[in-house]
């Protein structure tokens, strides 16, 4: 990909013709010239041409600017190398010229500045274009040609490419071939909708009207396999035009989209922020790993400085003065598993709400999937959401109570329909009341009031201590943004009651809860990891071994959530036993408004499901969990 940097004109005031005083040596004259070359102010320097005729400093200033061409706005660093050599009335000085090219590359070469001593003993610079560069002649100028480096890919945990060059088709229209813009817009919208694509066509008629008759008015770029489904339908519409291209894409549009980011044509705002780095036509990363590690993935753009010369009909490249070859980018290696990620994406497909599903391998903490919805999600909620965990946090509360010896599996704990603490009333989902039942039943049926009754046994920091033992609130370094949670500490009796079942001021991300769940399954927390190369500089150390008796009891209760509790829909999922905890989390002052959660594991995969404003977990998050597990099987 090759393009040319534009040149910004700058008007400089012309200097007056002077010469260094008769008492100055040639070193002072060459130093004054170098200073003036860089600053654009040469009025302190005297100039003659090779035959001795005087030249106004303003003319030399103008010529240097013209010769500099596309480098004019970034003058070179200039250094005199040693003392000038004098032979009678001629002095010669070697100078190092160091141009900083757009993007930061350096082009360095020597040049020679000659001077002659006038009748007044003043040294004057002998001006000619080759002072700037030996290959330059009058009327020439520098231009830059760019060659984009090969962009590196993102790899999965097995070292296989996730993001590869894949065929796409950019669909547009040609205004002069369209008779009814409104009708065409309607037909295009219907065609795109048939393949589940919203092309945002509301402004298309206005764009057609404003464009030149023969312009290509771009509408949308589709993967080739999607385009082929409606190709004939689109080609039959008057005025449609098509461009086949290659883009760096994941296997599907939704595939870990919010985590990976996208590779797209450079935007005007990108160019404005980095005018020396990008030009129109570049492809760059936006968001996620593609954006954060764009420099690494994109590599180093190759640049060639050419000498251009104006001919009778056109300007041509006549010589190559400098070349730096493009250097390909370096890949990123992630922990993602393509099969698991596709199952996670598919589990969220069709849900109109904002959703997230993150899966972590229990044995080593590797993130196998990070799915967001709808349609891949705009934000990486799986990693960065900061929301109350609701009853999934009873996993942490139960761990704290078991560690303190405050409960046992079969110890009776009352589950009334409601509970009031400091004047604040709490209730169970569906007004459930179990009476005095074993704690394992309270857990499996997700009784809020039972945990409220036990809250005083946790103390001011019992929840926080248990939460930190499974990684919450940790200083994580994943190489990408992630929220490790914040656990309620202290507060009023009502706050402590709410926090005991995942309300109050406790907030988490799905990744934080998936990692905590993996810790329960494994018996020890370890920081989740998603980037293997480049590896994060300072990952958090593994947590302490969890109390074996407490963990064993907790695992028993999390299995009973599936066999005899709120997630019984998962009891017939193929494969090894499923463990987990459902949760609904109030997000405002209306107890009817809740997020839906699931955390759990099967075999070596722990995972969390979050549905924003999803309502009941049994109708929102548990079906997603089931679809995910069946997809894996």
């Amino acid at each position: 990909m090759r393009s040319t940097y534009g040149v910004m004109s700058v008007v400089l005031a012309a200097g007056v013709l002077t010469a260094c005083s008769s008492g100055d040596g040639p070193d002072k004259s060459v130093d004054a010239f170098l200073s003036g070359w860089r600053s654009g102010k040469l009025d302190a320097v005297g100039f003659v041409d090779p035959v001795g005729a005087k030249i106004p400093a303003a003319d030399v200033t103008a010529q240097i600017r013209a010769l500099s061409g596309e480098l004019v706005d970034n003058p070179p660093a200039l250094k005199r190398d040693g003392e000038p050599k004098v032979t009678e009335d001629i002095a010669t000085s070697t100078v190092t010229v160091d141009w900083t090219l757009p993007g930061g590359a350096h082009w360095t070469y020597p040049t020679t500045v000659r001077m002659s001593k006038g009748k007044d003993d003043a040294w004057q610079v002998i001006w000619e274009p080759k002072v700037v560069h030996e290959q330059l002649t009058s009327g020439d100028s520098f231009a830059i040609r760019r060659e984009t480096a090969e962009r590196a890919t993102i790899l999965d945990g097995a070292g296989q490419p996730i993001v590869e060059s894949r065929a796409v088709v950019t669909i547009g229209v040609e205004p002069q071939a369209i008779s009814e813009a409104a009708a065409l817009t309607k037909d295009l919208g219907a065609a795109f909708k048939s393949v589940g694509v919203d092309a945002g066509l509301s402004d298309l008629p206005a764009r057609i009207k404003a464009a030149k008759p023969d312009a290509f008015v771009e509408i949308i770029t589709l993967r080739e396999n999607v385009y082929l489904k409606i190709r004939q339908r689109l080609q039959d519409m008057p005025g449609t035009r098509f461009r086949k291209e290659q883009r760096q894409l994941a296997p599907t549009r939704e595939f870990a989209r919010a985590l990976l980011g996208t590779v797209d044509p450079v935007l005007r705002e990108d160019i404005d922020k980095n005018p020396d780095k990008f030009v129109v036509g570049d492809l760059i990363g936006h968001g996620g790993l593609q954006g954060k590690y764009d420099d690494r993935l994109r590599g180093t753009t190759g640049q060639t400085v050419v000498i251009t010369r104006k001919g009778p009909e056109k300007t041509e490249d006549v010589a190559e003065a400098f070349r730096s070859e493009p250097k390909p980018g370096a890949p990123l290696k992630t922990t993602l598993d393509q099969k698991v990620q596709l199952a996670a994406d598919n589990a969220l497909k069709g849900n109109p709400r904002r959703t997230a599903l993150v899966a972590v391998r229990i044995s080593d903490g590797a993130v196998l999937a990070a799915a967001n919805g709808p349609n891949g999600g705009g934000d990486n909620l799986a990693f960065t959401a900061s929301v109350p965990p609701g009853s999934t946090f009873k996993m942490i509360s139960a761990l704290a109570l078991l560690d303190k010896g405050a409960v046992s599996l079969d110890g009776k704990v009352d589950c009334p329909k409601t509970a009031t603490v400091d004047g604040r009333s709490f209730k169970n989902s569906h007004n459930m009341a179990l009476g005095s039942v074993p704690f394992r039943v309270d857990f499996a049926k997700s009784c809020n009031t039972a945990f409220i009754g036990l809250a005083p046994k946790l103390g001011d920091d019992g929840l926080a201590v248990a939460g930190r033992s499974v990684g919450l609130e940790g200083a994580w370094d994943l190489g990408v943004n992630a929220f490790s949670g914040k656990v309620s500490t202290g507060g009023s009796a009502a706050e402590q009651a709410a926090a005991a079942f995942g309300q109050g001021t406790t907030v988490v991300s799905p990744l934080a809860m998936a990692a905590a769940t993996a810790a329960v399954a494994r018996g020890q927390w370890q920081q989740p990891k998603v980037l293997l190369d480049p590896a994060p500089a300072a990952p958090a150390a593994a947590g302490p071994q969890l109390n074996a008796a407490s963990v064993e009891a907790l695992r028993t209760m999390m299995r009973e959530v599936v066999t005899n509790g709120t997630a019984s829909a998962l009891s017939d999922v193929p494969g090894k036993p499923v463990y987990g905890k459902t949760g609904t989390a109030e997000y405002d002052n209306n107890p009817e408004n809740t997020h839906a959660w699931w955390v759990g594991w099967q075999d070596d995969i722990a995972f969390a499901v979050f549905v924003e404003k999803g309502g009941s977990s049994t109708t929102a998050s548990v079906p997603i969990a089931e679809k995910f597990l069946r997809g894996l099987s």
Side-chain angles (χ1 to χ4, degrees), residues 498-511:
F501 65 101
Q503 294 291 165
T505 59
T506 296
V507 285
V508 296
S509 66
L511 177 61

Side-chain angles (χ1 to χ4, degrees), residues 1-5 100-107 144-152 266 274-285 294-305 322-330:
M1 189 177 302
R2 304 173 74 91
S3 56
T4 304
Y5 288 90
T100 301
L101 302 179
H106 283 265
W107 172 34
I144 301 173
R145 306 289 182 247
R146 301 171 78 253
E147 185 175 352
T148 303
E150 181 180 354
R151 189 178 184 90
V266 67
N274 298 278
D276 289 338
K277 191 173 183 180
F278 303 124
V279 298
V280 173
D282 281 352
L283 292 176
I284 69 169
D294 183 63
D295 286 344
R296 174 188 172 100
L297 290 163
R298 189 164 40 84
T300 303
T301 300
Q303 296 185 94
T304 303
V305 180
F322 171 78
R323 169 181 286 271
S324 67
E325 297 291 342
K327 297 178 182 178

Side-chain angles (χ1 to χ4, degrees), residues 269-535:
E269 61 193 66
D270 298 319
I271 296 175
D272 290 344
K273 289 179 182 177
N274 298 278
D276 289 338
K277 191 173 183 180
F278 303 124
V279 298
V280 173
D282 281 352
L283 292 176
I284 69 169
H286 288 121
L289 296 175
Q290 293 283 9
K292 183 176 178 66
Y293 294 94
D294 183 63
D295 286 344
R296 174 188 172 100
L297 290 163
R298 189 164 40 84
T300 303
T301 300
Q303 296 185 94
T304 303
V305 180
V306 298
I307 295 172
T308 66
R309 185 168 299 161
K310 290 183 179 179
E313 297 181 358
K314 61 180 180 179
T315 298
E316 296 181 321
D317 296 352
V318 295
E320 182 180 292
F322 171 78
R323 169 181 286 271
S324 67
E325 297 291 342
K327 297 178 182 178
L332 299 181
K333 185 174 182 182
T334 72
T335 58
L336 295 179
D337 182 297
Q338 296 200 42
K339 177 184 176 182
V340 179
Q341 181 65 50
L342 289 169
D345 289 329
N346 188 58
L348 301 184
K349 188 170 291 186
N351 194 313
R353 299 187 183 279
R354 295 214 306 167
T355 52
L357 193 162
V358 58
V360 174
R361 189 159 52 217
I362 295 167
S363 54
D364 64 1
V367 175
L368 303 179
N372 293 274
N375 302 318
D379 301 317
N380 190 12
L381 291 180
F383 281 26
T384 62
S386 176
V387 290
S391 290
T392 59
F393 205 73
K394 289 172 183 170
M395 176 180 70
I396 312 296
S397 301
L399 180 63
L401 291 164
L402 290 163
D403 280 347
K404 287 178 175 290
V407 294
S408 63
L409 282 177
D410 294 308
K412 298 292 185 69
V413 179
D414 194 27
C415 175
K417 182 166 67 173
T418 62
T420 301
V421 180
D422 278 354
R424 181 177 173 184
S425 180
F426 299 91
K427 67 175 185 175
N428 296 317
S429 179
H430 307 297
N431 294 311
M432 176 181 64
L434 300 176
S436 182
V437 295
F439 180 60
R440 64 201 303 163
V441 177
D442 291 312
F443 188 92
K445 300 294 185 181
S446 200
C447 178
N448 294 340
T449 56
F451 279 82
I452 291 168
L454 292 167
K457 297 180 181 294
L458 292 166
D460 286 347
D461 63 352
L463 284 180
V465 170
R468 291 167 193 151
S469 74
V470 292
L472 302 182
E473 300 187 332
W476 297 2
D477 180 6
L478 276 69
V480 64
N481 291 339
F483 177 57
S484 65
K486 182 65 179 175
V487 182
S488 174
T489 302
S492 67
E495 166 63 24
Q496 292 182 42
F501 65 101
Q503 294 291 165
T505 59
T506 296
V507 285
V508 296
S509 66
L511 177 61
M513 290 304 290
T517 305
V520 171
R522 185 171 183 259
Q524 181 186 27
W525 178 83
Q526 57 183 320
Q527 180 192 287
K529 54 190 175 187
V530 70
L531 263 184
L532 299 176
D533 185 14

Side-chain angles (χ1 to χ4, degrees), residues 584-608:
T584 55
E586 297 175 17
Y587 55 84
D588 59 17
N589 293 325
N590 185 347
E592 299 302 317
N593 295 337
T594 57
H595 302 313
W597 278 91
W598 159 268
V599 298
W601 75 89
Q602 183 186 47
D603 197 9
D604 198 26
I605 297 178
F607 66 107

